[in-house]
Amino acid sequence: MRTPENTAPAASRRRRGLGIVAGLATMLTTTTIALAAPAAADDDGQTHRVYATREGLVGKTTANGHTITERDHFVALPSTRVLSAHGTGTYSVRVCTAGAHRCAYAPVWDVGPWNTRDDYWSTTRHWAQDLPVGTPQASAAFRQGHSGGKDQYGRQVANPAGIDLADGTFWDGLGLQDNAWVDVTFLWQGGARTGTVVSPDQPLNVRTGPGTGYRPTGLAAHTAQVPLLCHARGTLVTGSRGTTDLWYRIGEKNWVSDAYLRTGTGAAVAPPC
């Protein structure tokens, strides 16, 4: 990936003149309106703040059969209902540090922490229906004594975790040094068109604008499905999917090159930003 080009649209301007003609006649002068380019709504799923822990377990096998490698990039959520098949990102999330200083996009490849039936992001949650949407049962158990402070297996909950992060997502994607509260967007809930990241050798850089001169602000894992919120033209990039100057905004100040996305077409599939 190479150099930047700021394609942010200029502010729209509006001129309106009004003239009053003597007597009963009233005449409006010509109105000139310069319209800004249409932008997509960020229809990318619900976001909840939860406590994230590092999974580790290098060499072990995830619930979908993946063997965990060093600096791996995936997440675990406490419900089998959103487990992506091995090598796919049907269920993917955006995880951002407080203030969205860094964001990581990763597939759900494991189940946990603590529970396996707690789809706390759902309005029809499978278990612990007495808790509000967005509150993991483990968090309620640890902080409020829900179920006597225990998980579904009767274990005493030792932290309020609602998501586990693989080492690469934790250290490299988000730059975390310790467990932390993060903002998680459950991307399969959104209505935006999606693209699949194709970057098997290393995670794809997420940048603050549509070009390689913009600052990296996170990583998108291979197979992650990301929302294509709007597009712009920027740096010409050659990647796993060809050569293009097309870039997509996939989150707030989060951009990736279409050269690493499988979208089903080489043309833009989201409106201009």
Side-chain angles (χ1 to χ4, degrees):
M1 303 206 230
R2 324 255 165 322
T3 74
E5 180 179 0
N6 191 334
T7 57
S12 60
R13 306 184 186 283
R14 177 174 293 185
R15 277 201 315 258
R16 177 168 292 170
L18 177 65
I20 306 295
V21 179
L24 299 177
T26 300
M27 181 178 66
L28 292 176
T29 63
T30 302
T31 301
T32 303
I33 304 174
L35 296 176
D42 286 4
D43 184 14
D44 52 4
Q46 295 296 311
T47 300
H48 299 290
R49 180 159 292 182
V50 301
Y51 193 69
T53 48
R54 184 175 68 85
E55 178 159 340
L57 301 177
V58 173
K60 302 296 185 181
T61 303
T62 64
N64 73 353
H66 171 71
T67 300
I68 301 174
T69 62
E70 292 185 4
R71 318 299 281 217
D72 217 334
H73 289 262
F74 66 87
V75 305
L77 289 175
S79 172
T80 57
R81 287 185 165 187
V82 295
L83 181 66
S84 295
H86 188 203
T88 75
T90 304
Y91 297 100
S92 295
V93 296
R94 178 198 298 123
V95 186
C96 299
T97 56
H101 297 298
R102 287 188 68 83
C103 294
Y105 296 76
V108 182
W109 280 359
D110 208 358
V111 180
W114 299 107
N115 297 302
T116 62
R117 295 190 292 134
D118 185 28
D119 49 342
Y120 60 83
W121 49 85
S122 174
T123 55
T124 57
R125 64 192 293 168
H126 187 214
W127 182 64
Q129 293 96 337
D130 56 317
L131 294 175
V133 174
T135 299
Q137 190 276 335
S139 180
F142 181 78
R143 304 173 75 192
Q144 301 162 4
H146 184 272
S147 294
K150 298 179 180 180
D151 69 3
Q152 71 182 68
Y153 298 103
R155 299 174 297 185
Q156 197 68 35
V157 175
N159 61 51
I163 189 170
D164 265 344
L165 310 178
D167 289 355
T169 302
F170 189 93
W171 286 324
D172 305 325
L174 297 180
L176 294 176
Q177 299 300 314
D178 202 355
N179 300 334
W181 292 93
V182 296
D183 293 323
V184 181
T185 304
F186 302 89
L187 297 174
W188 63 88
Q189 293 181 328
R193 184 154 179 173
T194 61
T196 301
V197 176
V198 183
S199 185
D201 295 330
Q202 59 186 6
L204 178 61
N205 275 322
V206 177
R207 296 183 181 273
T208 57
T212 56
Y214 286 89
R215 177 176 57 86
T217 189
L219 296 172
H222 179 55
T223 79
Q225 285 195 5
V226 296
L228 308 178
L229 302 175
C230 60
H231 83 271
R233 299 289 174 174
T235 307
L236 188 68
V237 173
T238 298
S240 62
R241 302 293 292 168
T243 299
T244 181
D245 65 351
L246 178 61
W247 289 70
Y248 284 105
R249 186 170 69 82
I250 62 172
E252 181 67 25
K253 296 182 180 178
N254 283 189
W255 292 78
V256 293
S257 169
D258 183 56
Y260 290 91
L261 294 177
R262 182 185 296 115
T263 64
T265 176
V269 296
C273 294

